[in-house]
Amino acid sequence: MAKIIDGKALSQKIKDELKQKVSDFEQKFGRKITLAVVLVGENPASQVYVRNKIKATEYVGMKSLSFYMPENSTEEEVSQTVLSLAKDDGVDGILVQLPLPKHINETKILNLIPADKDVDGFLAQNVGNLLLGEPCTIACTPFGVIKMLQSQNIELSGKNAVVIGRSNIVGKPMALLLLKENCTVTVCHSKTKNLSEVCKNADILVSAIGRPKFVTADMVKQDAVVIDVGINRTEQGLVGDVDFENVKEIASYISPVPGGVGPMTIAMLLENTYLCALRRNNIE
Ligand code: NAD
């Protein structure tokens, strides 16, 4: 039976450690580390995410600035908000909650965020630096997954890692991070043939697709480490991509949903905000 990787407990530990570091920063620089959050429209899931992010920001002693803009805001209005935050020296990180309403060009808005305030790690400069192995902000979710693996001292070097999903915010950076840890990485997606067989070869299996209970026990190698990034709202409540009940009998480690990668994503957002504040003050 697999050991459960408790993302909630680990995220709490990370946040509590950050509290001290954030307070040290305030002592040294005489101001609070500040994260600005921009939410456009009334998407209920986004409202919940933003609320949780703000709560966590304040928990670690950072200042949060929130900008709630109506659904019918123009691209120009959202641009002006982001540009003013970009110029504001008192702002360490800018988070534009996605998705933006359809009439607003997301890439155009995100590109107004300076790379050193890109706490989500979504900008080309950060993604490119991740690829090159240069200092950068790492996308929160895959960053959280690596921290979860490290928290259990799971040996990664030389292991076969399979990532299911190739999105820019999860699958691709996840694959790069596992490669950096010397895994042999395979990325699977909706066009992959023989997906089950590929997964069955994985020592480390990360699923980020968004299909409830898609990864079944017959796809998992005995004693594999299984990380479930998926968040799926079903009639049974929140479930991951992995058939947790059956897969946990085969895996050596498994992350649950909820209480796994989700809380880690928020903790890494705070970590990224802290790291951005340090880098902006020329401290590595
Ligand atoms: P996305 O929709 O952008 O990408 C999904 C990926 O899954 C695509 O690359 C697609 O090729 C692949 N895919 C879809 N169906 C497949 C199939 N049948 N077989 C193989 N591959 C398939 O999604 P995303 O933004 O990467 O998010 C993925 C999941 O992770 C979602 O459930 C999302 O809610 C969740 N998520 C969770 C967190 C967190 O904090 N826990 C953060 C981000 C995303």
Coordinates of all heavy atoms in Angstrom, one line a residue, residues 62-106:
M62 N 2.8 38.7 3.8 CA 3.0 39.5 2.6 C 1.8 40.4 2.5 O 0.7 40.1 3.1 CB 3.2 38.7 1.4 CG 4.4 37.9 1.3 SD 4.4 36.9 -0.3 CE 5.8 35.9 0.0
K63 N 2.0 41.5 1.7 CA 0.9 42.4 1.5 C 0.2 42.0 0.2 O 0.9 41.7 -0.8 CB 1.4 43.8 1.4 CG 0.3 44.9 1.2 CD 1.0 46.3 1.3 CE 0.2 47.3 0.6 NZ 0.9 48.6 0.5
S64 N -1.1 42.0 0.1 CA -1.7 41.6 -1.2 C -2.5 42.8 -1.7 O -3.2 43.5 -0.9 CB -2.6 40.4 -1.1 OG -3.8 40.7 -0.4
L65 N -2.4 43.1 -2.9 CA -3.2 44.2 -3.6 C -4.1 43.5 -4.5 O -3.6 42.7 -5.4 CB -2.3 45.1 -4.3 CG -1.2 45.9 -3.6 CD1 -0.3 46.7 -4.6 CD2 -1.9 46.9 -2.6
S66 N -5.4 43.7 -4.4 CA -6.3 43.0 -5.3 C -7.0 44.0 -6.2 O -7.4 45.0 -5.8 CB -7.3 42.1 -4.6 OG -7.3 42.4 -3.3
F67 N -7.1 43.6 -7.5 CA -7.7 44.5 -8.5 C -8.8 43.6 -9.1 O -8.6 42.7 -9.9 CB -6.7 44.9 -9.6 CG -5.7 45.8 -9.0 CD1 -4.6 45.3 -8.3 CD2 -5.8 47.2 -9.0 CE1 -3.6 46.1 -7.7 CE2 -4.9 48.0 -8.4 CZ -3.8 47.5 -7.7
Y68 N -10.1 43.9 -8.7 CA -11.2 43.2 -9.3 C -11.8 44.0 -10.4 O -12.3 45.1 -10.1 CB -12.3 42.9 -8.2 CG -11.8 42.0 -7.1 CD1 -11.4 42.5 -5.9 CD2 -11.7 40.6 -7.3 CE1 -10.9 41.6 -4.9 CE2 -11.2 39.7 -6.3 CZ -10.8 40.3 -5.1 OH -10.4 39.4 -4.1
M69 N -11.7 43.6 -11.6 CA -12.2 44.4 -12.7 C -13.5 43.7 -13.3 O -13.5 42.5 -13.4 CB -11.1 44.5 -13.7 CG -9.8 45.1 -13.1 SD -8.6 45.4 -14.3 CE -9.3 46.8 -15.3
P70 N -14.4 44.5 -13.7 CA -15.7 43.9 -14.3 C -15.4 43.1 -15.6 O -14.4 43.4 -16.3 CB -16.6 45.0 -14.5 CG -15.7 46.3 -14.5 CD -14.5 45.9 -13.7
E71 N -16.3 42.1 -15.8 CA -16.2 41.2 -17.0 C -16.1 42.1 -18.3 O -15.4 41.7 -19.2 CB -17.5 40.4 -17.0 CG -17.7 39.4 -18.1 CD -17.0 38.1 -17.9 OE1 -16.8 37.8 -16.7 OE2 -16.6 37.4 -18.8
N72 N -16.8 43.2 -18.4 CA -16.7 44.0 -19.6 C -15.6 45.0 -19.7 O -15.6 45.9 -20.5 CB -18.1 44.7 -19.8 CG -18.4 45.7 -18.7 OD1 -17.6 45.8 -17.8 ND2 -19.6 46.3 -18.8
S73 N -14.6 44.8 -18.8 CA -13.4 45.7 -18.9 C -12.8 45.6 -20.3 O -12.8 44.5 -20.9 CB -12.4 45.3 -17.9 OG -12.9 45.3 -16.6
T74 N -12.3 46.7 -20.8 CA -11.6 46.6 -22.1 C -10.2 46.1 -22.0 O -9.6 46.1 -20.9 CB -11.6 47.9 -22.8 OG1 -10.8 48.8 -22.0 CG2 -13.0 48.5 -23.0
E75 N -9.6 45.6 -23.1 CA -8.2 45.1 -23.1 C -7.3 46.3 -22.6 O -6.4 46.1 -21.9 CB -7.8 44.7 -24.5 CG -6.6 43.9 -24.5 CD -6.3 43.2 -25.8 OE1 -6.9 42.2 -26.1 OE2 -5.6 43.8 -26.6
E76 N -7.7 47.5 -23.1 CA -6.9 48.7 -22.7 C -6.9 49.0 -21.2 O -5.9 49.2 -20.6 CB -7.5 49.9 -23.5 CG -6.8 51.3 -23.3 CD -5.3 51.3 -23.6 OE1 -4.9 50.4 -24.4 OE2 -4.6 52.1 -23.0
E77 N -8.1 48.8 -20.6 CA -8.2 49.0 -19.2 C -7.4 48.0 -18.4 O -6.7 48.3 -17.4 CB -9.7 48.9 -18.7 CG -10.5 50.2 -19.1 CD -12.0 50.0 -19.0 OE1 -12.5 48.8 -19.1 OE2 -12.7 51.0 -18.9
V78 N -7.5 46.7 -18.8 CA -6.7 45.7 -18.1 C -5.2 46.0 -18.3 O -4.4 45.9 -17.4 CB -7.1 44.3 -18.6 CG1 -6.3 43.2 -17.9 CG2 -8.6 44.0 -18.3
S79 N -4.8 46.3 -19.5 CA -3.4 46.7 -19.9 C -2.9 47.8 -18.9 O -1.8 47.7 -18.4 CB -3.2 47.2 -21.3 OG -3.6 46.2 -22.2
Q80 N -3.7 48.8 -18.8 CA -3.3 50.0 -17.9 C -3.1 49.5 -16.5 O -2.1 50.0 -15.8 CB -4.3 51.1 -18.0 CG -4.3 51.9 -19.3 CD -2.9 52.4 -19.7 OE1 -2.1 52.7 -18.9 NE2 -2.7 52.3 -21.0
T81 N -3.9 48.7 -16.0 CA -3.8 48.2 -14.6 C -2.5 47.4 -14.5 O -1.7 47.7 -13.5 CB -5.0 47.2 -14.2 OG1 -6.2 48.0 -14.4 CG2 -4.9 46.7 -12.8
V82 N -2.2 46.5 -15.4 CA -1.0 45.7 -15.3 C 0.2 46.6 -15.5 O 1.2 46.4 -14.8 CB -1.0 44.5 -16.4 CG1 0.3 43.8 -16.4 CG2 -2.2 43.6 -16.1
L83 N 0.1 47.5 -16.4 CA 1.3 48.4 -16.7 C 1.6 49.2 -15.4 O 2.8 49.5 -15.1 CB 1.0 49.3 -17.9 CG 1.3 48.7 -19.2 CD1 0.8 49.6 -20.3 CD2 2.8 48.3 -19.4
S84 N 0.6 49.7 -14.7 CA 0.9 50.5 -13.6 C 1.5 49.7 -12.5 O 2.4 50.1 -11.7 CB -0.4 51.3 -13.1 OG -1.3 50.3 -12.5
L85 N 1.1 48.4 -12.4 CA 1.7 47.5 -11.4 C 3.2 47.2 -11.8 O 4.1 47.0 -11.0 CB 0.9 46.2 -11.2 CG -0.5 46.4 -10.7 CD1 -1.3 45.2 -10.8 CD2 -0.4 46.9 -9.2
A86 N 3.4 47.1 -13.1 CA 4.7 46.8 -13.6 C 5.7 47.9 -13.2 O 6.8 47.6 -12.9 CB 4.6 46.6 -15.1
K87 N 5.2 49.1 -13.3 CA 6.1 50.3 -13.0 C 6.3 50.5 -11.5 O 7.2 51.2 -11.1 CB 5.4 51.5 -13.6 CG 5.6 51.6 -15.0 CD 5.2 53.0 -15.5 CE 4.6 53.0 -16.9 NZ 3.3 53.6 -17.0
D88 N 5.4 50.0 -10.7 CA 5.4 50.3 -9.2 C 6.5 49.5 -8.5 O 6.4 48.2 -8.4 CB 4.0 49.9 -8.7 CG 3.8 50.3 -7.2 OD1 4.8 50.5 -6.5 OD2 2.7 50.4 -6.8
D89 N 7.5 50.2 -8.0 CA 8.6 49.5 -7.3 C 8.2 48.8 -6.1 O 8.9 47.9 -5.6 CB 9.7 50.6 -7.0 CG 10.7 50.6 -8.0 OD1 10.7 49.7 -8.9 OD2 11.5 51.5 -8.0
G90 N 7.1 49.2 -5.5 CA 6.6 48.5 -4.3 C 5.9 47.2 -4.5 O 5.5 46.5 -3.6
V91 N 5.7 46.8 -5.8 CA 5.1 45.6 -6.1 C 6.1 44.5 -6.6 O 6.9 44.8 -7.5 CB 4.0 45.8 -7.3 CG1 3.5 44.5 -7.8 CG2 2.9 46.7 -6.8
D92 N 6.2 43.4 -5.9 CA 7.2 42.4 -6.2 C 6.7 41.3 -7.2 O 7.5 40.8 -7.9 CB 7.6 41.7 -4.9 CG 8.2 42.7 -3.9 OD1 9.4 43.1 -4.2 OD2 7.6 43.0 -2.9
G93 N 5.4 41.1 -7.1 CA 4.9 40.1 -8.0 C 3.5 40.5 -8.6 O 2.8 41.1 -7.9
I94 N 3.3 40.1 -9.8 CA 1.9 40.3 -10.4 C 1.4 39.0 -10.9 O 2.0 38.3 -11.6 CB 2.1 41.3 -11.6 CG1 2.8 42.6 -11.2 CG2 0.7 41.6 -12.3 CD1 3.1 43.5 -12.4
L95 N 0.1 38.8 -10.5 CA -0.6 37.6 -10.9 C -1.8 38.0 -11.6 O -2.7 38.7 -11.0 CB -0.9 36.7 -9.7 CG -1.5 35.4 -9.9 CD1 -1.2 34.5 -8.7 CD2 -3.0 35.4 -10.0
V96 N -1.9 37.7 -12.9 CA -3.2 37.9 -13.6 C -3.9 36.5 -13.6 O -3.4 35.6 -14.2 CB -2.9 38.4 -15.0 CG1 -4.3 38.6 -15.8 CG2 -2.2 39.8 -15.0
Q97 N -5.1 36.5 -13.0 CA -5.8 35.2 -12.9 C -6.3 34.8 -14.3 O -7.0 35.6 -14.9 CB -6.9 35.3 -11.8 CG -7.6 34.0 -11.6 CD -6.8 32.9 -11.0 OE1 -6.0 33.1 -10.1 NE2 -6.9 31.7 -11.6
L98 N -6.0 33.6 -14.7 CA -6.5 33.1 -16.0 C -7.7 32.2 -15.7 O -7.8 31.6 -14.7 CB -5.4 32.4 -16.8 CG -4.2 33.3 -17.1 CD1 -3.2 32.4 -17.8 CD2 -4.5 34.5 -17.8
P99 N -8.6 32.0 -16.6 CA -8.7 32.7 -17.9 C -9.2 34.1 -17.9 O -10.0 34.4 -17.0 CB -9.7 31.8 -18.7 CG -10.6 31.2 -17.6 CD -9.8 31.1 -16.4
L100 N -8.8 34.9 -18.8 CA -9.4 36.2 -19.0 C -10.6 36.1 -19.8 O -10.7 35.2 -20.6 CB -8.3 37.2 -19.6 CG -7.1 37.6 -18.7 CD1 -6.1 38.3 -19.5 CD2 -7.6 38.4 -17.5
P101 N -11.5 37.1 -19.8 CA -12.7 37.0 -20.7 C -12.2 36.9 -22.1 O -11.2 37.4 -22.5 CB -13.4 38.3 -20.4 CG -13.0 38.7 -19.0 CD -11.6 38.2 -18.8
K102 N -13.1 36.3 -22.9 CA -12.7 35.9 -24.3 C -12.2 37.1 -25.1 O -11.4 37.0 -26.1 CB -13.8 35.2 -25.0 CG -14.1 33.9 -24.4 CD -14.6 32.9 -25.4 CE -14.5 31.4 -25.0 NZ -14.5 31.2 -23.6
H103 N -12.8 38.3 -24.9 CA -12.5 39.5 -25.7 C -11.1 40.1 -25.4 O -10.7 41.0 -26.0 CB -13.6 40.6 -25.6 CG -13.7 41.2 -24.2 ND1 -14.4 40.5 -23.2 CD2 -13.2 42.3 -23.7 CE1 -14.3 41.3 -22.1 NE2 -13.6 42.4 -22.4
I104 N -10.4 39.5 -24.4 CA -9.1 40.1 -24.0 C -8.0 39.1 -24.4 O -8.1 37.9 -24.1 CB -9.1 40.4 -22.5 CG1 -10.1 41.4 -22.2 CG2 -7.7 40.8 -22.1 CD1 -10.2 41.7 -20.7
N105 N -7.0 39.6 -25.1 CA -5.9 38.7 -25.5 C -4.9 38.4 -24.3 O -4.2 39.3 -23.8 CB -5.1 39.4 -26.6 CG -4.0 38.6 -27.2 OD1 -3.4 37.8 -26.5 ND2 -3.7 38.8 -28.5
E106 N -5.0 37.1 -23.9 CA -4.2 36.8 -22.7 C -2.7 37.0 -22.8 O -2.1 37.5 -21.9 CB -4.5 35.3 -22.3 CG -5.7 35.1 -21.5 CD -6.0 33.6 -21.1 OE1 -5.1 32.7 -21.4 OE2 -7.0 33.4 -20.6

